[in-house]
Amino acid sequence: MTATDRFTAFVDRAHAAGRLVVQPRMGFGELRRMRAGLAAVREADATTVGTVTLDSYTRCLDDGAARRALRDDPAGLNGFPLLAHGVPAVRALLQDCSSAAFPVQIRHGTPRPLRLFRAMAEAGADATEGGPVSYCLPYGRVPLARAVAEWSAGCELLAAQPVPPHIETFGGCMLGQLCPPSLLVALAVLEAMFFQEHGLRGISLSYAQQIHQGQDLEALAALRRLAGERLSTTHHVVLYTFMGVFPRTEDGSRRLLAESARLAVHGGAERLVVKTPAEAHRIPTVEENVAALEYAASVAATTSDGADGPRATSSGLYEEARTLVDAALETGRTIGDCLVRAFARGVLDVPYCLHPDNANRARATIDTRSMLGWSRAGGMPVAAGGAAPVTAHHLTELLTFNRRRFDSDARRHPLRSAS
């Protein structure tokens, strides 16, 4: 048996103690600022894990641009240039800031992670995340088959470490919004199965908060059930505060964050990745990240997970997600092969995703119950509602649904305090 990695062990201990782990999405170009940010998150009044989010140049493997930006304007980078800093500097950063009591996840966003995984392994990272589908289809034009091949090699490299790091599938966050929950659940499970197939043993499965709390509760239950059926590895569920168009008002943003914290508790998620009220305007500061963590933790701590909480819908979401997983698994021999073939045949199809390897025949909409559903199924084995085609104006309305709802609530019922 491989020893349990620090990230997995920390989340398991916190969950056993009844505490929700909260985590920022934070990255800075300069080592000094990154170290200060990790220290502030570690000292926050919450049960936290650290995050090092990489910059866009590094995600695109543009080493030259990352090095120039680090030299000329490091404060202007939108994340941490891991490869430009080099393994020794990153190893020193992690040794200074991370521990069994504060593990750190490196978040990257690239469909071609092999070089990054090699550097993470050499630097001693506790955890990383992503996936061959979720970090390929939304982010560029890298062929899915190439992404699957490189993720296969990268996962095997990580699995060969004395203590393999934890890995989180990003499949449940596909496009951030307007992806029906059954597909999010199916993609999260398929990517987790891919990780397991390549030898990784500490796994988490993501799900991004959408627009209807009851539907999200049903999705979290379906994700946990399906993961329990398909995985033999240690795993937990991580919820993301809504990742789409964010409220513009501070009150609206805080209401949305609070709803995600309550959703995490009621849905049994072990970890919550938060957003801040600054999201609609700019990259948040360290202080804003810490404030969001502490606020989410305080809401979670005062939320009961008893029978008086919100009710999950009963729409057959688990059955639909299982059908999608089974249909994908019928297309190939390995999980990676199944993913490539399923998208090529339209058995899996992400609505509004323009990647050339995505069929882009499926469409999603928000129904009269404010629930996400299929308006057109394409070649997927799911039932579509038969709604009218989504126009450009209607799509804009769909994308801004949560922003308008939470900002409207904030105007009608202002929060008493911003603390």
Side-chain angles (χ1 to χ4, degrees):
M1 286 291 293
T2 303
T4 301
D5 65 88
R6 297 196 309 192
F7 196 94
T8 299
F10 178 84
V11 174
D12 287 350
R13 288 195 304 271
H15 183 65
R19 298 192 303 271
L20 177 67
V21 175
V22 290
Q23 178 177 0
R25 304 173 72 190
M26 184 177 72
F28 303 104
E30 300 159 295
L31 277 167
R32 174 186 55 80
R33 290 185 69 201
M34 193 70 253
R35 184 176 281 104
L38 289 171
V41 170
R42 184 180 60 210
E43 299 305 316
D45 185 16
T47 302
T48 59
V49 291
T51 304
V52 174
T53 300
L54 304 191
D55 68 290
S56 53
Y57 293 129
T58 302
R59 295 176 188 182
C60 296
L61 304 180
D62 190 344
D63 296 357
R67 284 194 296 269
R68 287 192 295 273
L70 185 60
R71 180 192 64 215
D72 299 336
D73 183 24
L77 284 163
N78 64 348
F80 182 78
L82 183 148
L83 296 177
H85 279 299
V87 168
V90 177
R91 184 188 299 118
L93 172 71
L94 295 177
Q95 288 174 344
D96 286 349
C97 297
S98 65
S99 68
F102 183 69
V104 172
Q105 182 187 55
I106 297 179
R107 307 182 62 86
H108 59 93
T110 180
R112 298 174 52 204
L114 185 55
R115 289 179 59 217
L116 286 170
F117 282 0
R118 186 174 293 116
M120 289 180 202
E122 292 175 5
D126 293 308
T128 189
E129 46 73 66
V133 173
S134 57
Y135 270 4
C136 177
L137 295 190
Y139 293 133
R141 300 178 65 85
V142 173
L144 181 58
R146 183 174 183 182
V148 165
E150 189 151 333
W151 273 88
S152 298
C155 288
E156 289 168 7
L157 182 150
L158 295 180
Q161 302 308 305
V163 180
H166 181 93
I167 191 163
E168 169 198 318
T169 166
F170 201 64
C173 302
M174 182 65 69
L175 294 191
Q177 65 178 122
L178 286 190
C179 189
S182 61
L183 182 58
L184 297 180
V185 170
L187 290 173
V189 171
L190 285 165
E191 287 194 332
M193 293 173 68
F194 175 89
F195 295 153
Q196 178 177 267
E197 181 177 72
H198 290 288
L200 292 165
R201 291 293 175 262
I203 296 171
S204 51
L205 298 96
S206 64
Y207 178 77
Q209 175 191 20
Q210 297 297 318
I211 59 171
H212 188 285
Q213 194 172 34
Q215 187 179 37
D216 285 341
L217 286 170
E218 185 183 1
L220 288 169
L223 178 58
R224 191 173 299 280
R225 179 179 174 186
L226 200 51
E229 293 169 353
R230 304 304 172 104
L231 300 177
S232 60
T233 56
T234 300
H235 59 273
H236 71 262
V237 170
V238 52
L239 176 70
Y240 280 67
T241 299
F242 182 64
M243 297 171 62
V245 179
F246 223 62
R248 291 176 175 169
T249 65
E250 183 173 350
D251 274 12
S253 298
R254 285 167 57 81
R255 288 177 185 275
L256 182 50
L257 176 56
E259 184 168 294
S260 72
R262 289 189 286 268
L263 176 63
V265 174
H266 292 308
E270 288 89 341
R271 183 160 51 98
L272 173 68
V273 178
V274 309
K275 296 187 81 171
T276 78
E279 301 293 338
H281 311 287
R282 54 175 169 75
I283 295 173
T285 65
V286 171
E287 294 76 17
E288 288 165 335
N289 273 294
V290 170
L293 293 169
E294 293 181 339
Y295 180 62
S298 69
V299 172
T302 56
T303 298
S304 168
D305 59 357
D308 58 341
R311 299 289 182 88
T313 56
S314 181
S315 65
L317 199 156
Y318 161 78
E319 289 78 10
E320 188 167 281
R322 184 184 62 190
T323 297
L324 289 169
V325 170
D326 288 342
L329 293 178
E330 290 174 358
T331 61
R333 183 175 54 85
T334 67
I335 305 297
D337 188 39
C338 288
L339 291 171
V340 173
R341 290 173 180 266
F343 276 99
R345 298 176 184 179
V347 173
L348 297 175
D349 185 358
V350 179
Y352 311 111
C353 175
L354 301 180
H355 190 284
D357 287 336
N358 184 62
N360 198 23
R361 293 171 55 205
R363 289 293 179 266
T365 191
I366 299 172
D367 66 18
T368 56
R369 301 164 296 173
S370 297
M371 292 171 61
L372 268 174
W374 299 106
S375 62
R376 196 165 75 206
M380 294 189 297
V382 299
V390 175
T391 64
H393 176 72
H394 187 201
L395 180 59
T396 300
E397 290 186 330
L398 297 177
L399 290 169
T400 59
F401 182 91
N402 261 355
R403 189 196 75 192
R404 290 182 285 110
R405 176 161 69 100
F406 282 92
D407 280 343
S408 176
D409 287 347
R411 284 190 291 269
R412 288 199 304 268
H413 306 290
L415 292 173
R416 290 177 179 271
S417 169
S419 61

